[in-house]
Amino acid sequence: MLPACHRAQMRALSSSKPAGHEAHVRNILSRALPPLNGDRLKATVLEVTYPAGGFSRPHRHPCPVIGYVVDGALRTAVDQTPETIIHAGETFYEALNGIHRVSANASDREPVRFLAFFLCDNDQPLSVAEVP
């Protein structure tokens, strides 16, 4: 017998809806990753909260990042991409070494909270400040 998450995952790939009390699974992000050294992989998950009007200074991450906004809304712009707002329940992907020109709370009244999943193939700082 398959565990519940595997049954739900298999069902998510089909067009049928879950019955009764079974899990509902939806794919919210699928992205190819850059080549990584598989014998040294390390996953790190950070919870980040910016207070109302909060932000971080320009920076980059030396490994790919997958993010999920839990509460509030996040303003972001990486490299030359236009600034965008990511709302609670939405995900984002950041390629390694992309320069975060903007990483800020979109609200001046409410905090924003998001999870950042880092997948790195060596030990190094997860964020590096960008010097102008």
Side-chain angles (χ1 to χ4, degrees), residues 3 24 27 29 31 34 45 54 62 69 86 93 95 99 102 107-108 128:
H24 175 258
N27 183 346
L29 177 75
R31 192 63 90 123
V45 180
V69 177
I86 302 159
Y93 174 81
I99 298 174
V102 176
S107 172
D108 59 0
V128 178

Side-chain angles (χ1 to χ4, degrees), residues 69-119:
V69 177
V70 177
D71 297 307
L74 178 69
R75 279 189 317 118
T76 185
V78 179
D79 290 332
Q80 302 307 313
T81 62
E83 188 173 303
T84 187
I85 296 179
I86 302 159
H87 298 91
E90 297 178 340
T91 59
F92 57 93
Y93 174 81
E94 300 168 358
L96 65 133
N97 289 316
I99 298 174
H100 285 241
R101 296 179 295 108
V102 176
S103 182
N105 189 339
S107 172
D108 59 0
R109 291 185 220 129
E110 301 292 328
V112 63
R113 183 169 58 108
F114 61 95
L115 301 177
F117 301 82
F118 293 79
L119 186 59

Side-chain angles (χ1 to χ4, degrees), residues 2-92:
L2 289 174
C5 64
H6 290 162
R7 287 194 312 266
Q9 187 175 32
M10 290 173 64
R11 203 171 6 271
L13 298 176
S14 71
S15 60
S16 64
K17 292 188 177 188
H21 298 289
E22 294 182 16
H24 175 258
V25 176
R26 71 181 172 109
N27 183 346
I28 57 173
L29 177 75
S30 180
R31 192 63 90 123
L33 294 173
L36 297 168
N37 184 347
D39 63 348
R40 298 183 301 172
L41 287 178
K42 179 179 180 181
T44 303
V45 180
L46 302 179
E47 179 183 72
V48 180
T49 302
Y50 292 155
F55 64 94
S56 60
R57 300 200 185 284
H59 62 280
R60 62 183 172 80
H61 304 291
C63 34
V65 179
I66 296 171
Y68 179 81
V69 177
V70 177
D71 297 307
L74 178 69
R75 279 189 317 118
T76 185
V78 179
D79 290 332
Q80 302 307 313
T81 62
E83 188 173 303
T84 187
I85 296 179
I86 302 159
H87 298 91
E90 297 178 340
T91 59
F92 57 93

